[in-house]
Amino acid sequence: MAFAKIKVTAQIRLETGLHIGTSNAFAAIGATDSPVIKDPITNLPIIPGSSIKGKMRILLARVYNTKLAEKPGEDGEIISRLFGNSSDKNYKVGRLIFRDAFLTNKKDLDSRAVKGYTEVKFENTIDRITAEANPRQIERAIRDSIFGFELIYEVTDKSQAQVEEDFKVILDGLKLLELDYLGGSGSRGYGKVVFEDLKANTVFGNYDVSRLNELLTTEV
Amino acid sequence: MTYKMYIMNFQSAHFGAGTLDSSKMTFAADRLFSALAIEAKKMGKMEEFVSIAGQDHFVLTDAFPYQSGPLLPKPIGFPKFDQPDLTTDVKEVRRQAKMAKKLQFIPLDKFDSYVKGTLFEDEEHAVTNIITKNQPHVDGNLFQVSTVRFRDDSSLYVIANESDLLNELMTSLQYTGIGGKRSSGYGQFDLTILDLPDSLKNRLTKTHQEPVMTLTTSLPVEKELEYAMETGSYLISKSSGFAFGTETNENYRKQDLYKFASGSTFSETFTGHIVDVRPLDFPHEVLNYAKPLFFKMEEER
């Protein structure tokens, strides 16, 4: 009976400002039009696990799905087994568990005398006929913030033979994320992220991760 | 019979209260039991776990906050207002009633003074907030998830009977998480196992003929039910939802089960049971844990 849990950790570093929006209901009055999502306790920006999971899934679906899937429920076998598929009885729950990424380098940013952990970027729209500007403000988590990324992969009897294959898919996902963006307004430069210090270690049960660590260090 | 406190330090979690956009701060024992059972199934130790759980000495309680010491639920029906104190102003009485109503959990050392009628403000253990999420490029796919973000010095604890299998399952559960939206990162925790403080340990009981408070959302067996309802002060809590199974493509709903919420007080103990709430013609059983552990309302002299 093989049962183990492998934890993949990394640092997500922002190369450009990141905007993951949230509902306006809890933002302070007089704040920007579109606030970023923050941790309610510390009031620092976070990257929700659901954002990473959703983005990674849609990027991988373009690569690994054999036919065009209109809904997540129609995803192919490889995507379903990693991310879960509520309409397939074998993969009601996927093998991956993402986690919210919290800001880890607050001290370092403080020492570099940043004003706040988010910036407000002013942009505008120019009307093509009247040339009139229509300004807007967008909040972003600042460049060089580092977030602690964590991912749990579950090794069971079913997945034992496919661990390396799955890790290649996860790696492709991380690579695609670096070539794409996280959060909103990515086509105008927001949300370029880099994964650093990628490591896998077994946190429960017995599984030799040396082979996986080789994969992780060579490929990214 | 070694009861231990399993302290779970969460960062953020979603313990749905029937919907996705609502979340409670704690969870009932059935949620933990089901999570452990599913974890056991993945390890291939399902039968072993269910047989241990069926034994008399196995106990689980609901989760309560732990903030530099264990907290207990508010005993329902206490303090008793037998003789209204005519010296205080009516306004003050109403203000205190509101305060008592808002109070959810009581620190262990203040428990007896609360029963005698001392009131105090509840401390804040966690912040609940609602996060809006969407599926881009799909019309109308906005949904809201309510999350609980625990303060740094707050955790949750459950009392359970220590066994090797339970420790193993709880250790593994740290990385799977408990509650809703687990694959997006909610509900993972760090586990610490501590001994119970004596003042708590000496008052835990399963057979006691004096007034007791239940620490588990539980349901008496049929023949005790009538007497428990006659003599108890209780709240009803509904547990229902979809049954999780990997043998059907469709999702079926469990049978609704109504239980006595933790904090309900009774004049004597009862024995609970584990109820099978499987949907009709479901391939395997769906167990709902409803066995109580009690707390004596009065200290032993």
Side-chain angles (χ1 to χ4, degrees), chain B residues 207-225:
Chain B
T207 50
H208 189 57
Q209 302 292 331
E210 301 280 315
V212 285
M213 171 177 85
T214 132
L215 294 177
T216 313
T217 304
S218 53
L219 184 68
V221 290
E222 203 67 42
K223 64 175 191 291
E224 299 165 325
L225 186 59

Side-chain angles (χ1 to χ4, degrees), chain A residues 41-112:
Chain A
I41 300 262
T42 57
N43 222 3
L44 297 171
I46 60 170
I47 303 180
S50 58
S51 298
I52 306 173
K53 184 182 177 189
K55 186 72 194 188
M56 199 160 154
R57 180 172 186 152
I58 190 77
L59 291 171
L60 287 171
R62 292 174 191 166
V63 180
Y64 285 98
N65 273 353
T66 43
K67 63 173 184 41
L68 183 73
E70 287 184 14
K71 292 195 216 54
E74 298 165 6
D75 275 339
E77 207 254 345
I78 292 179
I79 303 287
S80 296
R81 77 187 184 206
L82 282 174
F83 293 88
N85 185 340
S86 58
S87 53
D88 182 340
K89 66 181 181 191
N90 298 315
Y91 307 119
K92 288 255 168 182
V93 174
R95 294 170 187 175
L96 290 184
I97 293 177
F98 289 79
R99 214 171 179 176
D100 284 1
F102 294 96
L103 189 78
T104 52
N105 68 333
K106 180 172 181 292
K107 279 206 182 79
D108 175 47
L109 290 174
D110 286 340
S111 69
R112 288 154 75 175

